[in-house]
Structure formats: C-alpha cells, structure tokens
C-alpha cells in the first residue's frame, strides 16, 4: 500500500475570486499532512496536521475564518477518529481556540468521554494548556461582512434559498499497513443559532474511520448529512455490497440530493487505499499526496497532477 | 400490519430491589404510547408519549430521576426521528425541563436546525413556552446518593470498573401502514463531566428511523455505542444482508462487546413489524403492546404476556 493523505476544503458554491487562495491552501494542507505521516508514521497525526493547516487558513470555514452565528460569535465543531482502535474524540460549541481538531484529539486521549461540548470542552482546553484567544480573535472581516449580508437577505425573504458558503474542512489518510484515520473541523453554517450542532462532529454522519472498511469526511448541508447518516451509508455499501468507495459515495450522495434537495460532498479512502472524491455541490476543493504526486481539483472532472519533492 | 409500540428502560445491572418499580413503569409507558398511537394515529406521537411517561418516572435515568454529573447537576440528551420523512430533532446538555424528548421534537418542528445543545436548546425551550423548573427539581434523593457513592468508589480505585446504572429510555413504534419512529432520552452516565454527550441524541448511534429499514433505540455504554455506530450497523445488516432485525442486533452487539469489552442493549422494529430486543448487559427492561397483548421482560429469555383492555 502507498500512503496517502487526502483533504477537502468544503463543498459549496465557491466564488471564482476565492479559488486561487483555496487552491493554495488545500494543496498546502495535503502536503503538510503527508509530511507529518512520513515523519511520525501516524495516520492520526497526519489528519490532525492537515486539518490544523486548514484551520489556520482564513480561506476555509474552520478555526480562524469560521462563519459566524446569528449572534456574531464563532462556535466550532470537530471530530477525529482512528480506524485501528476505532477510537474517537469529538467536540462541539468550542470557542476561542485555534485548533478544535487538536481539542477533539485531546478528548479522545485525555478524557474519559469521547464527546464534550460547550463549557465542558472549554474546561478541558484550559486544563490541557490550550491558548485561549481573546474573544474576537477568530473573526475575520470577511466572515463579519458575510453575516451582515446574510442577515439582510434573510430578513428580506425568509424562504429564499441562500448560496451555501464553502464549509467544513476534513482529511483522511492511510499508511502502508492499511491503517486509516479521519478528521473534520468546521465553523458550521453561516448565521446558525447558537447551540446548533451539525454533522461534522458526529461519528457516522460527517466523520468515520474503521480499518476494516475505510475512512471518510463529509461536508455540505449538515442537517441533511446528519439525518441521512451519510458516512455510515457509504461505508455500509463498501462493506456489504462490494461497491468501490467511489461508487458508494456517488450512489448515497445522489440519493440524498434527490430525496432531500440538499447537497453535500465527501472524501474517503477504503482499506485497500482506493479513493472516493464526490460532491453534488457546484464545487468542492480537494487535494491528495501519494508519493511524489500531488493531485488536486475543485470542479467535477478536475484532476491536476504536480510532482513535488519531499524536502519542501 | 399490526401497530406496535415497544419501549426500553435502559440496559445495565439492575438491582433486584428496583425491579418491581421498573416493571410497572415500563409497562405503563408501552401502554401509554400505544394508546396515543390509537388516538392520533401518529408513530411520532406514540414514541414521544412513551418516552415522556418514562421521563416522569424516577425509576428511569431520563427526565426526573436522571443521574447526576460530577458537579451534581442534571444534563440531559434526547433525540426523536420520524421514519417517513426521515425528519429528526436532537438536544444535548438540556437542564431544568421535564420532557427533553418534547424539546427534541420542537427542534425538529420549530427550528431551522436539527440539533441544538446547551444554552441554544434552552433558549428554544423558553421561546416555545416550556416550563423551566427550579434548579434542583429533577434531582432525586437516590440520584444524589448514587453520585456520592460513585465519588467515594471512584476516588478509591480509579481503574476499578463500576457497576453500570440502568440507563437511557427509548421507544420505537410502527403503524398499520409501516410508518416507523424512534425516540431516546437520557440523563447520561453517572458522574459524567459537564458537557459530555453520549450516543442517545446521535442519529445512527443511539437513535434512528427509516421507513425503508426500521427504527431503533439503543442503551448502554454511550461512548462505545457512538464509536461503533450501533444503530447504523444493525440497520445496515437488515438492509443489505437480509438479516432479521433480531439477528442483526445480536451480531452487532456481540461483536461490539467482544471487541470493546463494553455492553449495550437495543430495541428495534423493522419495516415489516418484526421486533428486535437484545442486550449484552445482565438486564434490560422492555415492554411492548400489540393489539390487546402486552409483552414484557427484564432478563434474557423473559417474555411475560398479559392481556389488556383498551379502555384502561
């Protein structure tokens, strides 16, 4: 098996103006995760590192640059899962920290629970020495402006469907031995009510990893991904119906979009290292590194290939 | 199809002294849900009513009588799901209300989200006119004493495995047309850290309903049910491998208990009205009404049958 780190930067209708920045960031994240995998040999380290890279980048809706709640605050969700032991850590309603994905890993490794939200999650962050940032530190000017626009449009026409801002970031990885891991991190949906939880931190909805089947991270309309249990349905087709992970992803997301009129995207890797990349949104940025090849894309059919050197 | 309402009162090592009270309460809940189904014809109403009956009963770890967090507070989780539209509502970290399951339904019907936690969920409760109870109103003397005992034992031997108190309550129902619904409500695990979320409110882990497959509610070690995605795995075997729901439940729970050394139980009903009742804990209280027959049990192999009249 050849090790691979595959990342996504959210599915949605991404503005042309944002594409160059997103392309740079998504490729940087794949390379950063892959480098980590080479250094420590841990798929868990790899997906955490890839997601951290995207959390730091204001082009993505996770960590710094997260969309804002209706109240103008940042509330983030994240989950990480290790396919070997099927260990996992999940956090919701997290504020004022740079790397929710690292806090999710902390829940997995340091807590007697597997899912902590709100003040309970923040208490773990403090006791584990996370930097607690000043109140507005994660809020970008663009996020503030987007919320203002959203409020104006929402107040004008409650039922009018708003364009979906690019979402959630995520990563999946496999090592030479077939160990897989998955991680997802998000600021949620623009203008969400405080307290809202989406699919990202929910195992089987937005995130899952099981060495016997594969690893997956989803993005898109969280409420629908959660109800339809997208990650679980895709992995079940691979496990029980001998589908490739690509076929399984296409089938489940097409059914979801047909039935619920909502869109989503996924990245996945099966236990043999086969990839699944699919979205029913207009765009989803993704990239993966496999050996010296860096593949990336943002529209259906894209597959740009670059050769990278390891010592970058 | 004959309509059925099936309920559980939590899987665990239930003390003999508590059995009589639990038996009365679990049968009352099944009858109450069934009566509701006859009156309104709605499986959603039926599972909500059955769970409300258990939330009111201090013998069960949900609503009044919930176990306490490490801080001595009550924090409740609940989810409800309708198999017809696959609509759902979920709440976590809910305080000071009698019926978290009704708040979960409110999230489904009145909110633009499907999962609200903490202050956000409480804000919906207030705006929808829920009675907000005084701080300690849901705390029973027994729950307080159990926490004290737990703290003493935990401080003595951190690694010693403590007996699992009976958990979570839940209900599944089917009507004559094959519509199914599921509901689960819980106080969580005794002595949990504030902010801890378990499997109950997570669709595909502790709760799920899909008319094409069936409905399910789980109970037991929440962290493990969540990681193993118990509800989804069971329903996948029914959907893809032609297992009966009973076979599927036995296979998944036995695998889970073998692999993770943690126990759980489920109740389920498939789209043809076949039942699944199984637990790897010493006991799980359950009851269902089907026509004039009221079935119930608490240990493996139990199946007490009583004939009930509808006008009770």
């Amino acid at each position: 098996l050849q090790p691979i780190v595959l990342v996504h930067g959210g599915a949605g209708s991404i503005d042309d103006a944002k594409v160059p920045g997103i392309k740079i960031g998504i490729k940087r994240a794949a390379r950063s995760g892959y480098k980590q995998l080479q250094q420590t040999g841990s798929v868990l380290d790899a997906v955490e590192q890839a997601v951290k890279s995207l959390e730091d980048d204001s082009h993505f809706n996770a960590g710094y640059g997260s969309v804002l709640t209706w109240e103008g605050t940042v509330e983030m969700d994240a989950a990480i899962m290790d396919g070997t032991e099927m260990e996992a850590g999940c956090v919701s309603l997290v504020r004022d920290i740079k790397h929710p994905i690292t806090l999710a890993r902390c829940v997995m490794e340091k807590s007697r629970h597997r899912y902590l939200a709100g003040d309970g999650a923040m208490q773990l962050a403090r006791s584990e020495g996370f930097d607690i940032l000043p109140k507005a530190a994660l809020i970008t000017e663009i996020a503030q402006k987007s919320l203002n626009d959203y409020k104006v449009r929402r107040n004008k026409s409650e039922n009018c469907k708003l364009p979906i801002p690019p979402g959630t970031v995520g990563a999946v990885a496999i090592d030479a031995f077939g160990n897989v891991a998955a991680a997802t991190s998000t600021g949620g949906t623009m203008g969400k009510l405080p307290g809202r939880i989406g699919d990202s931190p929910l195992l089987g909805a937005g995130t899952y990893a099981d060495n016997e089947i594969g690893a997956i991270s989803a993005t898109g309309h969280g409420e629908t991904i959660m109800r339809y249990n997208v990650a679980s349905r895709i992995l079940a087709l691979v496990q029980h119906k001998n589908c490739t992970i690509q076929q399984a992803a296409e089938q489940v997301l097409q059914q979801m979009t047909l039935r619920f009129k909502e869109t989503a995207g996924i990245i996945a890797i099966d236990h043999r290292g086969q990839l699944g990349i699919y979205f029913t949104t207009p765009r989803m940025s993704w990239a993966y590194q496999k050996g010296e090849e860096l593949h990336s894309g943002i529209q259906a059919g894209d597959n740009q290939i670059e050769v990278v050197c390891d010592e970058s």
Side-chain angles (χ1 to χ4, degrees), chain A residues 136-163:
Chain A
L138 296 171
I139 302 181
T140 60
E141 217 173 297
I142 290 178
Q144 187 62 63
K145 191 180 168 312
S146 299
L147 178 67
N148 299 346
D149 291 354
Y150 173 80
K151 286 192 168 186
V152 169
R153 281 184 297 176
R154 203 180 155 85
N155 288 338
K156 269 193 208 152
S157 57
E158 185 81 21
N159 292 317
C160 156
K161 206 145 189 177
L162 295 158

Side-chain angles (χ1 to χ4, degrees), chain A residues 21-306:
Chain A
I22 285 178
K23 280 191 170 173
I24 293 169
I26 200 72
K27 290 192 277 189
R28 185 195 294 131
R31 293 192 69 182
S32 160
Y34 190 84
K35 201 170 172 185
Q36 187 71 39
L37 182 57
Q38 287 183 301
Q39 279 170 4
T40 69
S42 154
V43 285
L44 208 56
D45 288 348
V47 294
E48 181 190 355
Q49 176 54 43
V51 166
K52 281 172 72 173
S53 168
L54 295 162
E55 286 174 338
D56 283 337
D57 188 331
S58 69
H59 288 92
F60 302 95
N61 175 21
Y64 179 64
S66 285
V67 299
L68 307 186
T69 69
W70 190 256
E71 315 276 319
T73 54
V74 167
E75 281 187 359
M76 301 169 291
D77 295 340
I80 192 165
M81 188 162 185
D82 165 30
T84 310
E85 298 297 330
M86 294 180 64
E87 267 298 357
C90 314
V91 292
S92 278
L93 314 182
V94 159
R95 308 173 300 270
D96 308 328
I97 60 166
K98 276 180 84 168
H99 297 301
I101 199 65
T102 302
L103 186 57
R105 184 165 179 179
C106 212
V107 169
M108 168 178 149
E109 293 177 343
K110 304 284 174 69
S111 149
R112 55 192 162 100
H113 301 308
R114 292 298 168 266
Y115 193 174
L116 288 175
D119 293 340
M122 293 312 296
Q123 188 145 350
L124 181 68
R126 277 187 296 269
S127 74
E128 291 295 328
F130 279 65
D131 258 350
I132 308 297
L133 307 172
K135 277 251 165 289
L138 296 171
I139 302 181
T140 60
E141 217 173 297
I142 290 178
Q144 187 62 63
K145 191 180 168 312
S146 299
L147 178 67
N148 299 346
D149 291 354
Y150 173 80
K151 286 192 168 186
V152 169
R153 281 184 297 176
R154 203 180 155 85
N155 288 338
K156 269 193 208 152
S157 57
E158 185 81 21
N159 292 317
C160 156
K161 206 145 189 177
L162 295 158
I164 307 155
T168 309
V169 306
V172 293
I174 191 165
D175 67 13
F177 311 102
N179 296 307
V180 299
T184 312
S185 180
T186 188
T189 52
M190 162 114 63
K192 67 183 179 181
L193 300 174
R196 179 262 189 187
I197 294 177
D199 64 297
S200 307
L202 309 184
L203 307 180
T207 307
Y208 208 74
D210 177 352
N211 276 7
E212 288 180 15
I213 321 173
I216 185 164
S217 170
T219 162
H221 192 257
E223 277 72 10
T224 308
I225 296 170
M226 183 176 127
R227 283 161 60 197
Y228 203 55
N229 237 275
V230 163
S232 279
R233 281 187 196 256
I234 291 171
L235 295 178
L237 288 178
V238 173
Q239 187 178 23
H240 299 308
K241 304 296 270 190
N242 258 324
C243 290
T244 67
I245 197 130
Q246 182 68 27
Q247 289 166 339
E250 291 181 12
Q251 188 177 318
V252 169
L253 290 186
Q254 284 167 10
Q255 280 169 353
M256 183 197 107
T257 298
L258 196 68
R259 179 159 181 185
F260 301 101
K261 318 290 175 218
E262 297 286 358
T263 52
I266 63 99
I267 55 166
I269 202 158
D270 78 4
H271 63 109
R272 294 160 310 182
Q274 299 295 305
L275 301 183
I277 301 169
Y278 189 67
F279 45 100
T280 56
T281 44
R283 284 172 165 169
M284 179 182 80
S285 60
W286 59 267
Y288 68 87
Q289 185 168 352
K290 182 178 182 175
E292 291 188 342
E293 282 184 11
L294 181 68
H295 295 247
S296 64
I298 195 163
Q299 298 200 148
D302 277 359
N303 186 8
Q304 297 185 342
I305 310 178
E306 295 162 56

